[in-house]
Coordinates of all heavy atoms in Angstrom, one line a residue:
M280 N 33.4 61.3 69.8 CA 32.6 60.6 68.8 C 31.5 59.8 69.4 O 31.7 59.1 70.4 CB 33.6 59.6 68.0 CG 32.9 58.9 66.9 SD 34.1 58.0 66.0 CE 33.3 56.4 65.9
A281 N 30.3 60.0 68.9 CA 29.1 59.4 69.4 C 29.0 58.0 68.8 O 29.5 57.7 67.7 CB 27.9 60.1 69.0
R282 N 28.5 57.1 69.6 CA 28.3 55.7 69.1 C 26.9 55.3 69.6 O 26.4 55.7 70.6 CB 29.4 54.8 69.6 CG 29.4 54.6 71.1 CD 30.6 53.7 71.4 NE 30.7 53.5 72.9 CZ 30.3 52.4 73.5 NH1 29.9 51.4 72.8 NH2 30.4 52.3 74.8
V283 N 26.3 54.3 68.8 CA 25.0 53.8 69.2 C 25.1 52.8 70.3 O 26.0 51.9 70.3 CB 24.4 53.1 67.9 CG1 23.1 52.5 68.3 CG2 24.2 54.1 66.8
T284 N 24.3 53.0 71.3 CA 24.4 52.1 72.5 C 23.1 51.3 72.7 O 23.0 50.5 73.5 CB 24.7 52.9 73.8 OG1 23.6 53.9 73.9 CG2 26.0 53.6 73.7
G285 N 22.1 51.6 71.9 CA 20.9 50.9 72.0 C 19.8 51.5 71.1 O 20.0 52.5 70.5
A286 N 18.7 50.9 71.1 CA 17.6 51.4 70.3 C 16.6 52.2 71.2 O 16.5 52.0 72.4 CB 16.8 50.2 69.7
I287 N 16.0 53.1 70.6 CA 15.0 53.9 71.3 C 13.7 53.1 71.3 O 13.3 52.6 70.2 CB 14.8 55.3 70.6 CG1 16.1 56.1 70.7 CG2 13.6 56.1 71.2 CD1 16.0 57.4 70.0
A288 N 13.1 53.1 72.4 CA 11.8 52.4 72.6 C 10.7 53.1 71.8 O 10.8 54.3 71.6 CB 11.4 52.3 74.0
E289 N 9.8 52.3 71.3 CA 8.6 52.9 70.6 C 7.9 53.8 71.6 O 7.6 53.4 72.7 CB 7.7 51.8 70.1 CG 6.5 52.3 69.3 CD 5.6 51.2 68.8 OE1 5.9 50.1 69.1 OE2 4.6 51.6 68.2
L290 N 7.6 55.0 71.1 CA 6.9 55.9 72.0 C 5.4 56.1 71.7 O 5.1 56.1 70.5 CB 7.6 57.3 72.0 CG 9.0 57.3 72.4 CD1 9.6 58.7 72.2 CD2 9.2 56.8 73.8
I291 N 4.6 56.2 72.7 CA 3.2 56.5 72.5 C 2.9 57.9 72.9 O 3.4 58.4 73.9 CB 2.3 55.6 73.5 CG1 2.6 54.1 73.2 CG2 0.8 55.9 73.3 CD1 2.2 53.6 71.9
A292 N 2.2 58.7 72.0 CA 1.9 60.1 72.3 C 0.9 60.1 73.5 O -0.2 59.5 73.4 CB 1.4 60.8 71.1
V293 N 1.3 60.9 74.5 CA 0.4 61.0 75.7 C 0.2 62.5 76.0 O 1.1 63.3 75.8 CB 1.0 60.2 76.9 CG1 0.1 60.4 78.1 CG2 1.2 58.8 76.5
H294 N -0.9 62.8 76.5 CA -1.3 64.2 76.8 C -1.6 64.3 78.3 O -2.4 63.5 78.8 CB -2.5 64.7 76.0 CG -2.9 66.0 76.3 ND1 -2.3 67.2 75.8 CD2 -3.8 66.5 77.2 CE1 -2.9 68.2 76.2 NE2 -3.8 67.9 77.1
C295 N -1.0 65.2 79.0 CA -1.3 65.4 80.4 C -2.5 66.4 80.5 O -2.4 67.5 80.0 CB -0.1 66.0 81.2 SG -0.5 66.4 82.9
G296 N -3.5 65.9 81.2 CA -4.7 66.8 81.3 C -4.5 67.9 82.3 O -5.3 68.8 82.4
K297 N -3.5 67.9 83.1 CA -3.2 68.9 84.1 C -2.5 70.1 83.5 O -2.9 71.2 83.7 CB -2.4 68.3 85.3 CG -3.2 67.6 86.3 CD -3.9 68.5 87.2 CE -4.5 67.7 88.4 NZ -5.4 68.5 89.2
C298 N -1.4 69.8 82.8 CA -0.6 70.9 82.3 C -0.6 71.0 80.8 O 0.1 71.9 80.2 CB 0.9 70.7 82.8 SG 1.7 69.2 82.1
D299 N -1.4 70.2 80.1 CA -1.5 70.2 78.7 C -0.3 69.9 77.9 O -0.2 70.2 76.7 CB -2.1 71.5 78.2 CG -3.6 71.6 78.5 OD1 -4.3 70.5 78.6 OD2 -4.1 72.7 78.6
I300 N 0.7 69.3 78.5 CA 1.9 68.9 77.8 C 1.7 67.6 77.0 O 1.0 66.7 77.5 CB 3.1 68.8 78.7 CG1 4.4 68.7 78.0 CG2 3.0 67.6 79.7 CD1 5.7 68.8 78.8
D301 N 2.2 67.5 75.8 CA 2.2 66.3 75.1 C 3.6 65.7 75.2 O 4.6 66.5 75.1 CB 1.9 66.6 73.6 CG 0.4 67.0 73.4 OD1 -0.4 66.4 74.1 OD2 0.2 68.0 72.6
F302 N 3.7 64.4 75.3 CA 5.0 63.8 75.4 C 5.0 62.4 75.0 O 3.9 61.8 74.8 CB 5.6 63.9 76.9 CG 4.7 63.2 77.9 CD1 4.9 62.0 78.3 CD2 3.6 63.9 78.4 CE1 4.1 61.4 79.3 CE2 2.7 63.3 79.3 CZ 3.0 62.1 79.8
G303 N 6.1 61.8 74.8 CA 6.2 60.4 74.4 C 6.4 59.5 75.6 O 7.3 59.8 76.4
M304 N 5.7 58.4 75.7 CA 5.8 57.4 76.7 C 6.2 56.1 76.1 O 5.6 55.7 75.1 CB 4.5 57.3 77.5 CG 4.5 56.3 78.7 SD 2.9 56.2 79.5 CE 2.9 57.7 80.4
P305 N 7.2 55.4 76.6 CA 7.6 54.1 76.0 C 6.3 53.2 76.0 O 5.6 53.1 77.0 CB 8.7 53.6 76.9 CG 9.3 54.8 77.5 CD 8.1 55.7 77.7
R306 N 6.2 52.4 74.9 CA 5.0 51.6 74.8 C 4.9 50.6 76.0 O 3.8 50.4 76.5 CB 5.0 50.8 73.5 CG 3.9 49.8 73.3 CD 3.9 49.1 72.0 NE 3.5 50.0 70.9 CZ 2.3 50.4 70.6 NH1 1.3 50.0 71.3 NH2 2.1 51.2 69.6
Y307 N 6.0 50.0 76.4 CA 5.9 49.0 77.4 C 5.4 49.6 78.7 O 4.6 49.1 79.5 CB 7.2 48.3 77.7 CG 8.3 49.1 78.3 CD1 8.4 49.1 79.7 CD2 9.1 49.9 77.6 CE1 9.3 49.9 80.4 CE2 10.0 50.7 78.2 CZ 10.1 50.7 79.6 OH 11.1 51.5 80.2
F308 N 5.8 50.9 79.0 CA 5.4 51.6 80.2 C 3.9 51.9 80.1 O 3.2 51.8 81.1 CB 6.3 52.8 80.4 CG 6.1 53.5 81.7 CD1 6.7 53.1 82.9 CD2 5.2 54.6 81.8 CE1 6.5 53.8 84.1 CE2 5.0 55.3 82.9 CZ 5.6 54.9 84.1
Y309 N 3.6 52.5 78.9 CA 2.2 52.8 78.7 C 1.2 51.7 78.9 O 0.2 51.7 79.6 CB 2.1 53.4 77.3 CG 0.7 53.7 76.8 CD1 0.0 54.9 77.0 CD2 0.0 52.7 76.0 CE1 -1.2 55.1 76.6 CE2 -1.3 52.9 75.6 CZ -1.9 54.1 75.8 OH -3.2 54.4 75.4
E310 N 1.6 50.5 78.3 CA 0.7 49.4 78.4 C 0.6 48.8 79.8 O -0.4 48.4 80.2 CB 1.1 48.3 77.3 CG 0.9 48.8 75.9 CD 1.3 47.8 74.9 OE1 2.0 46.8 75.2 OE2 1.0 48.0 73.7
T311 N 1.8 48.8 80.4 CA 1.8 48.3 81.8 C 0.9 49.2 82.7 O 0.1 48.7 83.5 CB 3.2 48.3 82.4 OG1 4.0 47.5 81.5 CG2 3.3 47.7 83.8
R312 N 1.0 50.5 82.6 CA 0.2 51.4 83.4 C -1.3 51.3 83.0 O -2.1 51.4 83.9 CB 0.7 52.9 83.2 CG 2.1 53.2 83.8 CD 2.2 53.0 85.3 NE 2.4 51.7 85.7 CZ 3.6 51.0 85.8 NH1 4.7 51.6 85.4 NH2 3.6 49.8 86.2
K313 N -1.6 51.1 81.8 CA -3.0 50.9 81.4 C -3.5 49.6 82.0 O -4.7 49.6 82.4 CB -3.1 50.8 79.8 CG -2.8 52.1 79.1 CD -4.0 53.0 79.1 CE -5.1 52.6 78.1 NZ -6.1 53.6 78.0
Q314 N -2.7 48.6 82.2 CA -3.2 47.4 82.7 C -3.2 47.4 84.2 O -4.2 46.8 84.8 CB -2.3 46.2 82.2 CG -2.4 45.9 80.8 CD -1.5 44.8 80.3 OE1 -0.8 44.2 81.1 NE2 -1.6 44.5 79.1
D315 N -2.2 48.0 84.9 CA -2.2 47.8 86.3 C -2.8 49.0 87.1 O -3.1 48.9 88.3 CB -0.8 47.6 86.8 CG 0.2 48.7 86.5 OD1 -0.3 49.9 86.2 OD2 1.4 48.5 86.5
G316 N -3.1 50.1 86.3 CA -3.7 51.3 87.0 C -2.9 52.0 88.0 O -3.4 52.8 88.8
V317 N -1.6 51.8 88.0 CA -0.7 52.4 88.9 C -0.4 53.9 88.5 O -0.4 54.2 87.3 CB 0.7 51.6 89.0 CG1 1.7 52.4 89.8 CG2 0.4 50.2 89.6
T318 N -0.3 54.7 89.5 CA 0.0 56.1 89.2 C 1.3 56.3 88.5 O 2.3 55.7 88.9 CB 0.0 56.9 90.6 OG1 -1.2 56.8 91.2 CG2 0.3 58.4 90.3
W319 N 1.3 57.2 87.5 CA 2.6 57.6 86.8 C 2.6 59.1 86.8 O 1.7 59.8 87.2 CB 2.6 57.0 85.4 CG 1.4 57.2 84.6 CD1 0.3 56.5 84.5 CD2 1.2 58.3 83.7 NE1 -0.6 57.1 83.7 CE2 -0.1 58.2 83.1 CE3 2.0 59.4 83.3 CZ2 -0.6 59.1 82.2 CZ3 1.5 60.3 82.3 CH2 0.2 60.1 81.8
Y320 N 3.7 59.7 86.3 CA 3.9 61.1 86.4 C 4.2 61.7 85.0 O 5.1 61.1 84.3 CB 5.0 61.5 87.4 CG 4.6 61.1 88.8 CD1 4.9 59.8 89.2 CD2 3.9 61.9 89.7 CE1 4.5 59.3 90.5 CE2 3.5 61.5 90.9 CZ 3.8 60.2 91.3 OH 3.4 59.7 92.6
C321 N 3.6 62.8 84.7 CA 4.0 63.5 83.4 C 5.4 64.1 83.6 O 5.9 64.2 84.7 CB 2.9 64.6 83.1 SG 3.1 66.1 83.9
P322 N 6.0 64.6 82.5 CA 7.4 65.2 82.7 C 7.4 66.4 83.6 O 8.5 66.7 84.2 CB 7.7 65.6 81.2 CG 6.9 64.7 80.4 CD 5.6 64.5 81.1
V323 N 6.3 67.1 83.8 CA 6.3 68.2 84.8 C 6.1 67.7 86.2 O 6.4 68.4 87.2 CB 5.2 69.2 84.4 CG1 5.0 70.3 85.3 CG2 5.4 69.7 82.9
G324 N 5.6 66.5 86.4 CA 5.5 65.9 87.7 C 4.1 65.7 88.2 O 3.9 65.4 89.4
H325 N 3.1 65.9 87.3 CA 1.7 65.7 87.8 C 1.4 64.2 87.9 O 1.7 63.4 86.9 CB 0.7 66.3 86.8 CG 0.9 67.8 86.7 ND1 1.3 68.4 85.6 CD2 0.7 68.7 87.6 CE1 1.3 69.7 85.8 NE2 0.9 70.0 87.1
P326 N 0.9 63.8 89.0 CA 0.5 62.3 89.2 C -0.7 62.1 88.3 O -1.7 62.8 88.3 CB 0.2 62.2 90.6 CG -0.2 63.6 91.1 CD 0.6 64.5 90.2
R327 N -0.6 61.0 87.5 CA -1.7 60.7 86.5 C -2.0 59.2 86.7 O -1.1 58.4 87.0 CB -1.3 61.0 85.1 CG -0.8 62.4 84.9 CD -1.7 63.5 85.2 NE -2.9 63.4 84.4 CZ -4.0 64.0 84.7 NH1 -4.1 64.7 85.8 NH2 -5.1 63.9 83.9
V328 N -3.2 58.8 86.3 CA -3.6 57.4 86.3 C -4.5 57.2 85.1 O -5.4 58.1 84.8 CB -4.4 57.1 87.6 CG1 -5.0 55.7 87.5 CG2 -3.6 57.2 88.8
F329 N -4.3 56.2 84.4 CA -5.2 55.9 83.3 C -6.5 55.4 83.9 O -6.5 54.4 84.7 CB -4.7 54.8 82.4 CG -3.5 55.3 81.5 CD1 -2.2 54.8 81.7 CD2 -3.7 56.3 80.6 CE1 -1.2 55.3 80.9 CE2 -2.7 56.8 79.8 CZ -1.4 56.3 80.0
T330 N -7.6 56.0 83.5 CA -8.9 55.6 84.0 C -9.6 54.7 83.0 O -9.1 54.6 81.9 CB -9.8 56.8 84.3 OG1 -10.0 57.6 83.1 CG2 -9.2 57.6 85.4
G331 N -10.7 54.1 83.4 CA -11.4 53.2 82.5 C -11.0 51.8 82.8 O -10.3 51.5 83.7
T332 N -11.6 50.9 82.0 CA -11.4 49.5 82.3 C -10.1 49.0 81.7 O -9.8 49.2 80.5 CB -12.6 48.7 81.6 OG1 -13.8 49.2 82.0 CG2 -12.5 47.2 82.0
S333 N -9.2 48.5 82.6 CA -7.9 48.0 82.1 C -8.1 46.7 81.4 O -9.2 46.0 81.5 CB -7.0 47.9 83.3 OG -7.4 46.8 84.1
E334 N -7.0 46.2 80.8 CA -7.1 44.9 80.1 C -7.3 43.8 81.1 O -8.1 42.9 80.8 CB -5.8 44.7 79.4 CG -5.7 45.5 78.1 CD -6.8 45.1 77.1 OE1 -7.0 43.9 76.8 OE2 -7.4 46.0 76.5
I335 N -6.7 43.9 82.3 CA -6.9 42.9 83.3 C -8.3 42.9 83.8 O -8.9 41.8 83.9 CB -5.9 43.1 84.5 CG1 -4.5 42.9 84.0 CG2 -6.3 42.3 85.7 CD1 -3.4 43.2 85.1
E336 N -8.9 44.0 84.0 CA -10.3 44.1 84.4 C -11.2 43.5 83.3 O -12.2 42.8 83.6 CB -10.7 45.5 84.7 CG -10.1 46.0 86.0 CD -10.3 47.5 86.2 OE1 -10.8 48.2 85.3 OE2 -10.0 48.0 87.3
K337 N -10.9 43.9 82.0 CA -11.7 43.3 80.9 C -11.6 41.8 80.9 O -12.6 41.1 80.7 CB -11.2 43.9 79.6 CG -11.6 45.3 79.3 CD -11.0 45.8 78.0 CE -11.2 47.3 77.8 NZ -10.5 47.7 76.6
L338 N -10.4 41.3 81.1 CA -10.2 39.8 81.1 C -11.0 39.2 82.2 O -11.5 38.1 82.1 CB -8.8 39.4 81.1 CG -8.0 39.8 79.8 CD1 -6.5 39.6 79.9 CD2 -8.6 39.0 78.6
R339 N -10.9 39.8 83.4 CA -11.6 39.3 84.6 C -13.1 39.3 84.3 O -13.8 38.3 84.7 CB -11.3 40.2 85.8 CG -10.0 39.9 86.4 CD -9.8 40.6 87.7 NE -8.5 40.3 88.3 CZ -7.7 41.2 88.7 NH1 -8.0 42.5 88.8 NH2 -6.5 40.9 89.2
E340 N -13.6 40.3 83.7 CA -15.1 40.4 83.4 C -15.4 39.3 82.3 O -16.5 38.6 82.5 CB -15.4 41.8 82.8 CG -15.4 42.8 83.8 CD -15.6 44.2 83.3 OE1 -15.8 44.4 82.0 OE2 -15.6 45.2 84.0
Q341 N -14.5 39.1 81.3 CA -14.8 38.0 80.4 C -14.8 36.7 81.0 O -15.6 35.8 80.7 CB -13.8 38.1 79.2 CG -13.9 39.3 78.3 CD -12.8 39.3 77.3 OE1 -11.9 38.5 77.2 NE2 -12.9 40.3 76.4
L342 N -13.8 36.5 82.0 CA -13.8 35.2 82.7 C -15.0 35.0 83.5 O -15.6 33.9 83.5 CB -12.5 35.2 83.6 CG -12.3 33.9 84.4 CD1 -12.2 32.7 83.5 CD2 -11.1 34.1 85.3
A343 N -15.5 36.0 84.2 CA -16.7 35.9 85.0 C -17.9 35.6 84.1 O -18.7 34.7 84.4 CB -17.0 37.2 85.8
D344 N -18.0 36.2 82.9 CA -19.1 35.9 82.0 C -19.0 34.5 81.5 O -20.0 33.8 81.4 CB -19.0 36.9 80.8 CG -19.4 38.3 81.2 OD1 -19.9 38.5 82.3 OD2 -19.1 39.2 80.3
A345 N -17.8 34.0 81.2 CA -17.6 32.7 80.7 C -18.0 31.7 81.8 O -18.6 30.7 81.5 CB -16.1 32.4 80.2
R346 N -17.6 32.0 83.0 CA -18.0 31.1 84.1 C -19.5 31.0 84.3 O -20.0 30.0 84.6 CB -17.2 31.5 85.4 CG -15.8 31.1 85.4 CD -15.1 31.5 86.7 NE -13.8 31.0 86.7 CZ -12.8 31.5 87.4 NH1 -13.0 32.6 88.2 NH2 -11.6 31.0 87.4
A347 N -20.1 32.2 84.2 CA -21.6 32.3 84.4 C -22.2 31.5 83.3 O -23.2 30.7 83.5 CB -22.0 33.7 84.4
A348 N -21.7 31.6 82.0 CA -22.3 30.8 80.9 C -22.1 29.3 81.1 O -23.0 28.5 80.9 CB -21.7 31.3 79.6
T349 N -20.9 28.9 81.6 CA -20.6 27.5 81.9 C -21.6 27.0 83.0 O -22.1 25.9 82.9 CB -19.2 27.4 82.3 OG1 -18.3 27.8 81.2 CG2 -18.8 25.9 82.6
D350 N -21.8 27.8 84.0 CA -22.7 27.4 85.1 C -24.1 27.2 84.6 O -24.8 26.3 85.0 CB -22.6 28.4 86.2 CG -21.3 28.4 87.0 OD1 -20.6 27.4 86.8 OD2 -21.1 29.4 87.8
A351 N -24.5 28.1 83.7 CA -25.9 28.0 83.2 C -26.1 26.8 82.3 O -27.1 26.1 82.5 CB -26.2 29.3 82.4
V352 N -25.1 26.5 81.5 CA -25.1 25.3 80.7 C -25.1 24.0 81.6 O -25.8 23.1 81.3 CB -24.0 25.3 79.7 CG1 -23.8 23.9 79.0 CG2 -24.2 26.4 78.6
D353 N -24.3 24.1 82.6 CA -24.2 22.9 83.5 C -25.5 22.7 84.2 O -26.0 21.6 84.4 CB -23.1 23.2 84.5 CG -22.7 21.9 85.3 OD1 -22.5 20.8 84.6 OD2 -22.6 22.0 86.5
Q354 N -26.2 23.8 84.6 CA -27.5 23.7 85.3 C -28.5 23.1 84.3 O -29.3 22.3 84.7 CB -27.9 25.1 85.7 CG -28.8 25.1 86.9 CD -28.9 26.6 87.4 OE1 -28.8 27.6 86.7 NE2 -29.2 26.7 88.7
Q355 N -28.5 23.5 83.0 CA -29.4 23.0 82.1 C -29.1 21.5 81.8 O -30.1 20.7 81.7 CB -29.3 23.8 80.7 CG -29.8 25.2 80.8 CD -29.5 26.0 79.5 OE1 -28.7 25.5 78.7 NE2 -30.1 27.1 79.4
R356 N -27.9 21.1 81.8 CA -27.5 19.7 81.6 C -28.0 18.9 82.8 O -28.6 17.8 82.6 CB -26.0 19.6 81.5 CG -25.5 18.1 81.3 CD -24.0 18.0 81.5 NE -23.5 18.5 82.7 CZ -23.5 17.9 83.9 NH1 -24.1 16.8 84.0 NH2 -23.0 18.5 84.9
R357 N -27.9 19.4 84.0 CA -28.4 18.6 85.2 C -29.9 18.5 85.1 O -30.4 17.4 85.5 CB -27.9 19.3 86.5 CG -26.4 18.9 86.8 CD -26.0 19.4 88.2 NE -25.3 20.7 87.9 CZ -25.6 21.8 88.5 NH1 -26.5 21.9 89.5 NH2 -24.9 22.9 88.2
A358 N -30.6 19.6 84.7 CA -32.0 19.5 84.6 C -32.5 18.5 83.6 O -33.4 17.8 83.8 CB -32.6 20.9 84.3
A359 N -31.8 18.5 82.4 CA -32.1 17.6 81.4 C -31.8 16.1 81.8 O -32.6 15.2 81.5 CB -31.3 17.9 80.1
E360 N -30.8 15.9 82.6 CA -30.5 14.6 83.1 C -31.6 14.1 84.1 O -32.0 13.0 84.1 CB -29.1 14.5 83.7 CG -27.9 14.6 82.8 CD -26.6 14.7 83.4 OE1 -26.5 14.9 84.7 OE2 -25.6 14.6 82.7
A361 N -32.0 15.1 84.9 CA -33.1 14.7 85.9 C -34.4 14.4 85.1 O -35.0 13.4 85.5 CB -33.3 15.9 86.8
R362 N -34.7 15.2 84.1 CA -35.9 14.9 83.3 C -35.8 13.5 82.6 O -36.7 12.7 82.6 CB -36.2 16.0 82.3 CG -36.9 17.2 82.8 CD -37.5 18.0 81.7 NE -36.5 18.4 80.7 CZ -35.7 19.5 80.8 NH1 -35.8 20.2 81.9 NH2 -34.8 19.7 79.9
S363 N -34.6 13.2 82.1 CA -34.4 12.0 81.4 C -34.5 10.8 82.4 O -35.1 9.8 82.1 CB -33.0 12.0 80.8 OG -32.7 10.7 80.3
Q364 N -34.0 11.0 83.6 CA -34.1 9.9 84.6 C -35.6 9.7 85.0 O -36.0 8.5 85.1 CB -33.3 10.3 85.8 CG -33.2 9.2 86.9 CD -32.5 7.9 86.3 OE1 -31.4 8.0 85.7 NE2 -33.2 6.8 86.5
L365 N -36.3 10.8 85.1 CA -37.8 10.6 85.4 C -38.5 9.9 84.3 O -39.3 9.0 84.6 CB -38.4 12.0 85.6 CG -38.1 12.7 87.0 CD1 -38.7 14.1 86.9 CD2 -38.6 11.9 88.1
L366 N -38.2 10.2 83.1 CA -38.8 9.5 82.0 C -38.5 8.1 81.9 O -39.3 7.2 81.7 CB -38.5 10.2 80.7 CG -39.1 11.6 80.5 CD1 -38.5 12.3 79.2 CD2 -40.6 11.5 80.4
M367 N -37.2 7.8 82.2 CA -36.8 6.3 82.2 C -37.4 5.6 83.4 O -37.9 4.4 83.2 CB -35.2 6.2 82.3 CG -34.5 6.7 81.1 SD -32.8 6.2 81.0 CE -32.1 7.1 82.4
N368 N -37.6 6.2 84.5 CA -38.3 5.6 85.6 C -39.8 5.3 85.3 O -40.3 4.3 85.6 CB -38.2 6.5 86.9 CG -36.8 6.5 87.4 OD1 -35.9 5.8 87.1 ND2 -36.6 7.5 88.3
E369 N -40.4 6.3 84.6 CA -41.8 6.2 84.3 C -41.9 5.1 83.2 O -42.9 4.3 83.3 CB -42.3 7.5 83.7 CG -43.8 7.5 83.3 CD -44.7 7.2 84.5 OE1 -44.3 7.3 85.6 OE2 -45.9 7.0 84.2
Q370 N -41.0 5.0 82.3 CA -41.1 3.9 81.3 C -40.9 2.6 81.9 O -41.6 1.6 81.6 CB -39.9 4.2 80.2 CG -39.9 3.1 79.1 CD -38.7 3.4 78.2 OE1 -37.7 3.8 78.6 NE2 -38.9 3.0 76.9
A371 N -40.0 2.5 82.9 CA -39.8 1.2 83.6 C -41.0 0.8 84.3 O -41.4 -0.4 84.4 CB -38.5 1.3 84.5
R372 N -41.6 1.8 85.0 CA -42.9 1.5 85.8 C -44.0 1.0 84.8 O -44.7 0.0 85.1 CB -43.3 2.8 86.5 CG -44.5 2.5 87.5 CD -45.0 3.8 88.1 NE -45.6 4.7 87.1 CZ -46.9 4.5 86.6 NH1 -47.6 3.5 87.1 NH2 -47.4 5.3 85.7
L373 N -44.1 1.7 83.7 CA -45.2 1.3 82.8 C -45.0 -0.1 82.2 O -45.9 -0.9 82.0 CB -45.3 2.3 81.7 CG -45.9 3.7 82.1 CD1 -45.8 4.7 80.9 CD2 -47.3 3.5 82.6
L374 N -43.7 -0.5 82.0 CA -43.4 -1.8 81.4 C -43.6 -2.9 82.5 O -43.8 -4.0 82.1 CB -42.0 -1.8 80.9 CG -41.7 -1.0 79.7 CD1 -40.2 -1.0 79.3 CD2 -42.5 -1.5 78.5
T375 N -43.6 -2.6 83.8 CA -43.8 -3.6 84.8 C -45.3 -3.7 85.2 O -45.6 -4.6 85.9 CB -43.0 -3.3 86.0 OG1 -43.3 -2.0 86.5 CG2 -41.5 -3.3 85.7
V376 N -46.2 -2.8 84.8 CA -47.6 -2.9 85.1 C -48.2 -4.0 84.4 O -48.0 -4.1 83.1 CB -48.3 -1.5 84.7 CG1 -49.8 -1.7 84.9 CG2 -47.8 -0.4 85.6
P377 N -48.9 -4.9 85.1 CA -49.5 -6.1 84.4 C -50.5 -5.6 83.3 O -51.3 -4.7 83.6 CB -50.2 -6.9 85.5 CG -49.7 -6.3 86.8 CD -49.1 -5.0 86.5
F378 N -50.4 -6.2 82.2 CA -51.3 -5.8 81.1 C -52.6 -6.5 81.3 O -52.7 -7.7 81.6 CB -50.7 -6.2 79.8 CG -51.4 -5.6 78.6 CD1 -51.3 -4.3 78.3 CD2 -52.2 -6.5 77.8 CE1 -52.0 -3.8 77.2 CE2 -52.9 -6.0 76.7 CZ -52.8 -4.6 76.4
S379 N -53.7 -5.8 81.2 CA -55.0 -6.4 81.4 C -55.9 -6.2 80.1 O -55.9 -5.1 79.6 CB -55.7 -5.8 82.6 OG -57.0 -6.2 82.7
F380 N -56.7 -7.2 79.8 CA -57.6 -7.1 78.7 C -59.0 -6.8 79.2 O -59.9 -6.8 78.4 CB -57.6 -8.4 77.9 CG -56.4 -8.6 77.0 CD1 -55.4 -9.5 77.4 CD2 -56.2 -7.9 75.9 CE1 -54.3 -9.6 76.7 CE2 -55.1 -8.0 75.1 CZ -54.1 -8.9 75.5
T381 N -59.1 -6.5 80.5 CA -60.4 -6.2 81.1 C -61.1 -5.0 80.3 O -60.4 -4.0 80.1 CB -60.3 -5.8 82.5 OG1 -59.5 -6.8 83.2 CG2 -61.6 -5.6 83.2
G382 N -62.3 -5.3 79.9 CA -63.0 -4.2 79.3 C -62.9 -4.2 77.8 O -63.5 -3.5 77.1
V383 N -62.0 -5.0 77.3 CA -61.8 -5.1 75.8 C -62.8 -6.2 75.3 O -62.8 -7.3 75.7 CB -60.4 -5.5 75.5 CG1 -60.2 -5.6 74.0 CG2 -59.4 -4.4 76.0
K384 N -63.6 -5.7 74.3 CA -64.6 -6.7 73.7 C -63.9 -7.4 72.6 O -63.1 -6.9 71.8 CB -65.7 -5.9 73.1 CG -66.6 -5.2 74.2 CD -67.7 -4.5 73.5 CE -68.5 -3.8 74.6 NZ -69.6 -2.9 74.1
T385 N -64.1 -8.7 72.6 CA -63.5 -9.6 71.6 C -64.5 -10.1 70.6 O -65.7 -10.1 70.9 CB -62.8 -10.8 72.2 OG1 -63.7 -11.5 73.1 CG2 -61.6 -10.3 73.0
Ligands
ZN72 ZN1 1.4 67.5 83.6

C-alpha cells in the first residue's frame, strides 16, 4: 500500500539546448541556479548554465547605480555648501566695509 510521504516541489519547465529534452526542474533549484550561475545538468547529463544577468548581478548593478546617484547628490550638496559659504563671507565683508558718502551730492 502506497502512502504519501511528502509534497512534490513546484516544477519549472526547462529545455536543454543540447539534446532538446524538456523536463521539470524544482523551482528552488531553478531560481538558485539562475542567481548563482553554477553549472547544472539536464537529465541526459549535459552541463548547462543559465546565461544572462542573474538576480544577484542585477541587484549589484542597482546598488552601484544607487551609490553613484548618492555620490552625485553628495557632490552637489558640497558644492552648494561651498557657494553658500562664499556668499556668506562676501556678505560679511560688505557689511564691514566703512560706508562713505563721498561723491554724494546733498
Ligand atoms: Zn541535454
